[in-house]
Amino acid sequence: AEKGQVIVAAKEGLLAGAVTYFPPGSSDGVIFPIQWASIRMLAVPTAHRQRGFGRILTVECINRARRDGAEMLGLHTSELMAVARSMYERMGFRLQKELPRNYGLRYWLYALELEEPGGQNAFS
């Protein structure tokens, strides 16, 4: 949390979601290359799911990563997060590799290329 930026979404004064964004140079260097920006701990309470809050928070992280000059934005997710994985894939995140199992669960590393050759943004 010392290196990350906690971003929250609210609806009618209630917490509707949160995510932690890590700018380039502050990612862990183990899961994510240090030069990548990264997203950790995206969470949306059950009462607010399927209303676009996860996407809104992810777009805010994408915008911050672009602002910070990151070429890649990474995240990791598990087999328990099928809905989130589908959202990330629809947003253009691509599977990079499977990570070691943790607590008996499968995990994957995903990344979004923020700038394509020729200067075109991958996600607009």
Side-chain angles (χ1 to χ4, degrees), residues 25-85:
S26 64
S27 292
D28 69 3
V30 175
I31 296 173
F32 309 106
I34 195 77
Q35 69 273 18
W36 287 14
S38 59
I39 298 172
R40 301 288 305 266
M41 302 172 284
L42 174 67
V44 176
T46 305
H48 294 289
R49 291 183 185 160
Q50 301 298 315
R51 296 184 182 175
F53 291 107
R55 182 178 177 83
I56 289 166
L57 290 164
T58 303
V59 167
E60 178 60 22
C61 291
I62 292 167
N63 291 338
R64 289 183 188 209
R66 282 194 179 132
R67 176 201 68 200
D68 294 340
E71 293 181 15
M72 298 289 278
L73 176 62
L75 61 87
H76 70 81
T77 188
S78 78
E79 62 187 298
L80 295 178
M81 304 299 173
V83 172
R85 281 196 332 268

Side-chain angles (χ1 to χ4, degrees), residues 53-122:
F53 291 107
R55 182 178 177 83
I56 289 166
L57 290 164
T58 303
V59 167
E60 178 60 22
C61 291
I62 292 167
N63 291 338
R64 289 183 188 209
R66 282 194 179 132
R67 176 201 68 200
D68 294 340
E71 293 181 15
M72 298 289 278
L73 176 62
L75 61 87
H76 70 81
T77 188
S78 78
E79 62 187 298
L80 295 178
M81 304 299 173
V83 172
R85 281 196 332 268
S86 290
M87 178 191 75
Y88 297 136
E89 289 170 357
R90 285 191 310 273
M91 294 179 78
F93 285 85
R94 297 291 171 248
L95 177 65
Q96 303 297 301
K97 66 180 180 179
E98 186 162 352
L99 298 169
R101 286 182 177 259
N102 198 6
Y103 302 107
L105 299 173
R106 293 177 70 190
Y107 281 80
W108 298 275
L109 172 66
Y110 279 79
L112 177 68
E113 187 173 351
L114 296 174
E115 195 164 308
E116 296 176 348
Q120 297 296 316
N121 288 322

